[in-house]
Coordinates of all heavy atoms in Angstrom, one line a residue:
H92 N 18.0 -23.6 -25.7 CA 18.9 -23.4 -24.5 C 19.9 -22.2 -24.6 O 20.3 -21.6 -23.6 CB 19.7 -24.7 -24.3 CG 20.7 -25.0 -25.4 ND1 20.4 -25.5 -26.6 CD2 22.1 -24.8 -25.4 CE1 21.5 -25.6 -27.4 NE2 22.5 -25.2 -26.7
D93 N 20.2 -21.8 -25.8 CA 21.1 -20.7 -26.0 C 20.4 -19.4 -26.4 O 21.1 -18.5 -26.9 CB 22.2 -21.1 -27.1 CG 23.4 -21.8 -26.5 OD1 23.6 -21.7 -25.3 OD2 24.1 -22.4 -27.3
K96 N 21.8 -16.0 -25.7 CA 22.9 -15.4 -26.4 C 22.5 -14.1 -27.1 O 23.3 -13.3 -27.5 CB 23.5 -16.3 -27.4 CG 24.4 -17.4 -26.8 CD 25.0 -18.3 -27.8 CE 25.9 -19.3 -27.2 NZ 26.4 -20.3 -28.1
H121 N 24.7 -16.2 -20.3 CA 23.7 -16.6 -21.3 C 22.6 -17.6 -20.8 O 21.4 -17.5 -21.2 CB 24.2 -16.9 -22.7 CG 24.8 -18.3 -22.8 ND1 26.1 -18.6 -22.6 CD2 24.2 -19.4 -23.2 CE1 26.3 -19.9 -22.8 NE2 25.2 -20.4 -23.1
P122 N 23.0 -18.6 -20.0 CA 22.0 -19.6 -19.5 C 20.9 -18.9 -18.6 O 19.7 -19.2 -18.7 CB 22.8 -20.6 -18.6 CG 24.2 -20.5 -19.1 CD 24.4 -19.1 -19.5
H145 N 22.3 -25.8 -18.4 CA 22.9 -26.6 -19.5 C 24.5 -26.5 -19.5 O 25.2 -27.2 -20.2 CB 22.4 -26.3 -20.8 CG 22.8 -25.1 -21.5 ND1 22.2 -23.9 -21.3 CD2 23.8 -24.8 -22.4 CE1 22.8 -22.9 -22.0 NE2 23.7 -23.5 -22.7
H146 N 25.0 -25.6 -18.6 CA 26.5 -25.5 -18.5 C 27.0 -25.9 -17.2 O 28.1 -25.6 -16.8 CB 27.0 -24.1 -18.9 CG 27.1 -23.8 -20.3 ND1 27.9 -24.4 -21.2 CD2 26.3 -23.0 -21.2 CE1 27.8 -24.0 -22.4 NE2 26.8 -23.2 -22.4
Y154 N 28.5 -23.7 -14.4 CA 27.8 -22.5 -14.1 C 26.3 -22.5 -14.6 O 26.1 -23.4 -15.5 CB 28.5 -21.2 -14.7 CG 28.7 -21.2 -16.2 CD1 27.7 -20.6 -17.0 CD2 29.8 -21.8 -16.8 CE1 27.8 -20.6 -18.3 CE2 29.9 -21.8 -18.2 CZ 28.9 -21.2 -18.9 OH 29.1 -21.1 -20.3
D174 N 25.6 -30.8 -26.8 CA 26.0 -29.5 -27.1 C 27.6 -29.5 -27.3 O 28.1 -29.0 -28.3 CB 25.6 -28.5 -26.0 CG 25.8 -27.1 -26.3 OD1 25.8 -26.7 -27.5 OD2 26.0 -26.3 -25.4
A235 N 28.8 -21.0 -31.3 CA 27.9 -22.2 -31.0 C 28.4 -23.0 -29.7 O 27.6 -23.6 -29.1 CB 27.8 -23.1 -32.2
L237 N 29.9 -21.8 -27.1 CA 30.1 -21.0 -25.8 C 29.0 -21.3 -24.8 O 27.9 -21.7 -25.2 CB 30.2 -19.5 -26.2 CG 31.4 -19.2 -27.1 CD1 31.3 -17.8 -27.6 CD2 32.7 -19.4 -26.4
Ligands
FE2_1 FE1 25.2 -22.4 -24.0

Side-chain angles (χ1 to χ4, degrees):
H92 66 283
D93 273 343
K96 283 183 179 173
H121 80 269
H145 78 272
H146 280 292
Y154 60 92
D174 192 26
L237 300 169

